[in-house]
């Protein structure tokens, strides 16, 4: 009986040690993939957007914002272009492009969506660039907030398109603090980022994406 118990213990230790070894090897493999991804200069396409709820007629907001932008305090590469309830422009000093779109709603209210164009970046090497874009984006958002009557909350979103193909299809979502993250293959959407550290969130999400894809 004692020998049988001893034999079962040996088998148990073997499987326990094997599982531990497998976990260690999987962890090492993930780190290897991470550094391989890092060395290969992984690119992402990144876009910021903020949706503002506003009171009043959307045409009034459009005219106020357009007038303020053209007041002489800002220089644009090709001016401010108005097209289909949208304002399109690029700041001359930073070469950052934007779109402001107005969505009329019922009951004398409207949405204003402020968004950047898609930027191609190397996220683990260009944190300064990410923060420069964020700073310019927030400057524009604050300018618009001073010109309109707010109604309700603001929603902010980061879109990431990762330039690395998945081995397996990823369709998942999770929450990090107050931020909600959705993975759909190479596309990542990060919601409710207002007031967050963009660079830290982006690196965290991309690292999580890299782990999940293997």
């Amino acid at each position: 009986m004692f020998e049988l118990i001893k034999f079962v213990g040996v088998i148990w230790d073997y499987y326990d040690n094997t599982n531990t070894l497998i976990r260690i090897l999987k962890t090492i493999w993930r780190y290897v993939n991470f550094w391989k991804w890092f060395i290969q200069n992984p690119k992402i396409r990144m876009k910021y957007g903020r949706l503002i709820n506003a009171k009043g007629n959307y045409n009034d907001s459009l005219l106020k914002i357009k007038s303020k932008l053209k007041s002489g305090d800002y220089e644009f590469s090709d001016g401010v272009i108005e097209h289909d309830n949208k304002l399109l422009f690029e700041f001359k000093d930073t070469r950052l492009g934007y779109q402001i779109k107005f969505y009329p709603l019922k009951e004398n209210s409207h949405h204003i969506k402020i968004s950047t164009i898609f930027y191609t970046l190397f996220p683990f090497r260009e944190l300064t660039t990410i923060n420069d874009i964020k700073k310019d984006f927030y400057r524009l958002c604050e300018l618009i907030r001073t010109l309109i009557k707010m109604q309700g909350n603001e929603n902010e979103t980061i879109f990431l398109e990762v330039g690395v193909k998945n081995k397996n299809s990823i369709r998942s979502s999770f929450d990090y603090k107050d931020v909600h993250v959705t993975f759909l293959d190479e596309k990542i959407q990060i919601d409710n980022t207002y007031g967050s550290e963009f660079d830290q969130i982006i690196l965290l999400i991309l690292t999580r994406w890299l782990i999940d894809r293997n």
Side-chain angles (χ1 to χ4, degrees):
M1 184 65 180
F2 177 75
E3 293 297 328
L4 178 60
I5 294 174
K6 186 176 180 181
F7 176 73
V8 171
V10 170
I11 296 298
W12 178 268
D13 288 341
Y14 170 77
Y15 279 106
D16 187 51
N17 291 335
T18 301
N19 288 334
T20 301
L21 180 60
I22 290 173
R23 287 196 296 269
I24 292 172
L25 290 175
K26 283 183 177 179
T27 301
I28 293 173
W29 182 247
R30 286 172 176 172
Y31 275 110
V32 169
N33 277 335
F34 172 82
W35 286 110
K36 180 181 177 182
W37 192 56
F38 182 87
I39 292 170
Q40 288 176 340
N41 273 337
K43 289 184 180 181
I44 63 167
R45 291 193 343 128
M46 178 177 62
K47 179 179 180 180
Y48 294 150
R50 183 185 289 187
L51 187 67
I52 296 177
N53 301 312
K55 296 180 181 179
N57 185 277
Y58 79 94
N59 277 312
D60 293 337
S61 295
L62 189 155
L63 291 174
K64 284 181 182 179
I65 295 170
K66 184 178 179 180
S67 176
K68 182 65 176 178
L69 290 173
K70 298 177 71 173
S71 65
D73 296 332
Y74 307 95
E75 291 188 41
F76 304 96
S77 301
D78 299 304
V80 180
I81 301 170
E82 182 179 343
H83 178 69
D84 291 339
N85 296 343
K86 291 186 293 187
L87 298 176
L88 307 170
F89 54 91
E90 179 185 83
F91 286 122
K92 190 173 183 179
D93 55 347
T94 59
R95 306 297 295 183
L96 297 178
Y98 289 91
Q99 171 182 281
I100 304 175
K101 189 168 184 178
F102 301 81
Y103 300 89
L105 302 172
K106 295 180 180 179
E107 298 180 358
N108 199 32
S109 62
H110 56 282
H111 283 161
I112 301 175
K113 185 176 182 181
I114 311 161
S115 59
T116 70
I117 63 172
F118 269 107
Y119 294 99
T120 300
L121 297 166
F122 302 100
F124 290 92
R125 305 184 184 192
E126 296 188 60
L127 291 182
T128 301
T129 302
I130 291 174
N131 283 319
D132 286 344
I133 295 173
K134 180 192 76 171
K135 182 179 179 180
D136 207 58
F137 175 73
Y138 270 35
R139 177 178 64 134
L140 178 61
C141 290
E142 290 306 310
L143 169 67
I144 291 173
R145 291 175 83 254
T146 62
L147 297 174
I148 63 170
K149 294 181 179 180
M150 300 289 295
Q151 177 175 286
N153 298 322
E154 300 171 75
N155 296 313
E156 193 167 290
T157 304
I158 303 175
F159 297 95
L160 301 177
E161 293 183 358
V162 188
V164 178
K165 295 295 182 182
N166 284 319
K167 296 178 181 178
N168 300 307
S169 178
I170 295 177
R171 296 172 183 270
S172 63
S173 62
F174 69 94
D175 293 314
Y176 172 72
K177 296 183 178 179
D178 295 326
V179 177
H180 184 72
V181 183
T182 304
F183 291 159
L184 180 59
D185 298 332
E186 289 83 37
K187 295 182 179 180
I188 303 170
Q189 181 172 322
I190 311 171
D191 296 311
N192 304 323
T193 64
Y194 185 75
S196 303
E197 292 295 332
F198 279 28
D199 54 348
Q200 294 178 14
I201 286 179
I202 289 170
L203 295 188
L204 170 73
I205 300 310
L206 289 175
T207 304
R208 173 71 181 267
W209 179 88
L210 183 67
I211 291 173
D212 285 356
R213 68 186 283 268
N214 291 300

